[in-house]
């Protein structure tokens, strides 16, 4: 049961991140710079691979 809740929570967070990225028209490179992560890592995160 907890695993299902974690998956749902991850999905909600990812959905909100995608909405905010689109609404603000922020490129991946900008998110990477501001977060201190690499662009590839940011892209993987937005694909839900992390």
């Amino acid at each position: 049961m907890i695993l299902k809740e974690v998956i749902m929570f991850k999905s909600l967070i990812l959905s909100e991140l995608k909405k905010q990225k689109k609404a603000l028209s922020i490129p991946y490179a900008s998110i990477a710079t501001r977060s201190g992560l690499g662009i590839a890592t940011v892209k993987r995160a937005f694909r839900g691979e992390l």
Side-chain angles (χ1 to χ4, degrees), residues 1-12:
M1 190 63 123
I2 291 175
L3 179 59
K4 185 177 178 181
E5 292 170 355
V6 169
I7 292 169
M8 287 174 50
F9 188 62
K10 180 181 175 182
S11 178
L12 287 171

Side-chain angles (χ1 to χ4, degrees), residues 3 6 9 11 16 24-26 28 33 38-39 41 45 47-48:
L3 179 59
V6 169
F9 188 62
S11 178
E16 187 60 29
L24 298 171
S25 299
I26 299 174
Y28 290 118
T33 299
I39 293 173
T41 301
R47 287 192 306 261

Side-chain angles (χ1 to χ4, degrees), residues 3-4 6 8 10 14 16-17 19-21 27 29-32 36 42-43 48 50:
L3 179 59
K4 185 177 178 181
V6 169
M8 287 174 50
K10 180 181 175 182
L14 186 56
E16 187 60 29
L17 284 172
K19 276 195 271 183
Q20 291 298 317
K21 181 185 179 303
S30 181
I31 294 169
V42 170
K43 287 181 178 181
L50 296 178

